[in-house]
Amino acid sequence: MKKHRLLSLILAGCMLLTACSGGDGDGETTSTEPSVTVTDKDGNPVTDDEGNVVTSIISLIPEEKELNVGFIYPGVAGGDAVSQIFESARVQAERVLNANTFYIENVLVSQFEDATAALVSYGCNVIIAASSRYANAVYDEARANSKVYFISVGGVKNSFNLACFQGEMYKAAYVCGMAAAYNSNSNILGVVADPAILSCYNIVDAYILGAKELTESATDVRLNYAWGNNDEENRQAIDDLIAQGCDVIFTASYSTFAVEYCEQRGVKVIGMAYNTPELAPENYLTGCFYNVTIFIVDMLRTVRYETSQSVTYLGGIDEGAVRLVDFNENCKAGTVEICDALYQLCAAGKAVIFNGEIKDNLGNVKVEKGAILKSGEILSVDWLEESVTEVKDFCSPVVEPLQSDLSIHH
C-alpha cells in the first residue's frame, strides 16, 4: 500500500512540474499561431469558468501557388467548336484565377511528349490536353512528370497528378433525339458523325433512343461518317443524307461548317458544338455541348492551393457540365414542353436511357431485356443501335497530317 501511495505522489509531482515548466523552461505555455479575443455581442471579452479570456486561433489563408498553364491543341486554337470551349476555359483561368496561360497548336499525338517538354521547360506547372485523342499520351506524360499537374478530357485513367473529364453527353443527346423525331416530317433522321470525337457511339445511340421515345420501332436513321475538320467531306455527307430523305440532321461532330451548311441547304439541324445556334438561325432546332470550363477552373483552383487530387469526373446535366442549347422559336409547337420534361428527368437522374432489350444494327443483342447499362458501361459503347439502316463512310485517309512547329503562344 505504501509503495502504491509513494508512486502516486511521484507521478503527481512529475505532472505538476511539467505543467509549471510549460515544456520550454520559461514557465508559460506559448503558441506561434495567431489568435484573437472572443467577444460577446456588446464587444466585451468572453471568459471561461475560471475567468480566463477566451481566444480563438485564426486560420491562416493558404499560400497561393502561381499557375502557369499550358494548353495543347490538335488544331488551331479556336478553330473548331471544341477548341472554342477550351479557349473559353483559358480566358476564364486568366480572369478568375489570374493564371498565366500558354498554348501550342497543331500537335499530333506523336508530338504530345515534345509539346509537354516544351511547355514544362517554359515554366508551365499545369498541362491541359485539349482533345480526347490525347487520352493515352497524357497519362504517360503524367507518369513521367510527377511535379506537373495534367488535365485530360476523355481519359479514364487518372493518377495523383492527373484529373480526367468524362462528361455524360449522351443524356443531352437523348433529349435532342426526341426533339429531332418530334420535328421530322419524313421520319428519316440523318446523322453526320466524326468517329474521332469522345464517346461517339454512345452519343449517337442515346440520340436514337430519344427519338424512339416518340417513333418507337418506326425510327429510321441514316448515318454518314466524316472528319470534323474536313469541310468537303461534311458537305458530301450532308448532301447524301438529304438525298436519302432526311429532314433533320444531327451533326455529331465539332464541325461548325456542318451546321452552317445545313442552314444553306434549308434542312433542320441539331448540333454538338459550343452553343452555336447563330450559325443556323432559321434551322438550328437545339444542340448539346460540353461545359468543361467549370471543371477546368475548379481543378486549377485546387492546384493553386496545392489541394489537387486524382479524379475522373463524370459531369452531367444537373451539374451544368453538359448543356442543352435553347430551342429555336421555329421548332414545332409543343417541342419545348415535351423535351423540357425529359430534360428535367435526366437532370434528376430519373431517366433510364440504355435499358434492354437493345440490339445493334447487325441484329446482335447488346443489352438484355430488363438490364440497364451503368455510366461506365455506357461510356464504353462501341456499336450502333438497330435503327441505323444505312451507314456510309466519307472519311478519307490522312496521309500527311499537319505537324506542329511547337511554337509557344502566350
Side-chain angles (χ1 to χ4, degrees), residues 276-339:
T276 52
E278 69 277 2
L279 298 178
E282 296 298 320
N283 294 289
Y284 200 101
L285 297 180
T286 185
C288 50
F289 61 91
Y290 292 115
N291 185 20
V292 300
T293 299
I294 60 171
F295 173 71
I296 290 175
V297 172
D298 281 348
M299 293 312 303
L300 289 178
R301 187 175 285 112
T302 67
V303 176
R304 183 185 191 183
Y305 293 113
E306 297 189 336
T307 57
S308 53
Q309 55 186 317
S310 164
V311 63
T312 296
Y313 177 60
L314 298 177
I317 289 176
D318 55 327
E319 302 141 297
V322 173
R323 300 283 300 278
L324 197 68
V325 178
D326 291 339
F327 291 96
N328 192 311
E329 60 182 12
N330 293 330
C331 289
K332 284 185 179 179
T335 302
V336 175
E337 288 75 15
I338 64 168
C339 290

Side-chain angles (χ1 to χ4, degrees), residues 14-31:
C14 290
M15 292 174 65
L16 180 61
L17 183 61
T18 301
C20 291
S21 69
D24 57 6
D26 61 4
E28 294 182 1
T29 301
T30 59
S31 174

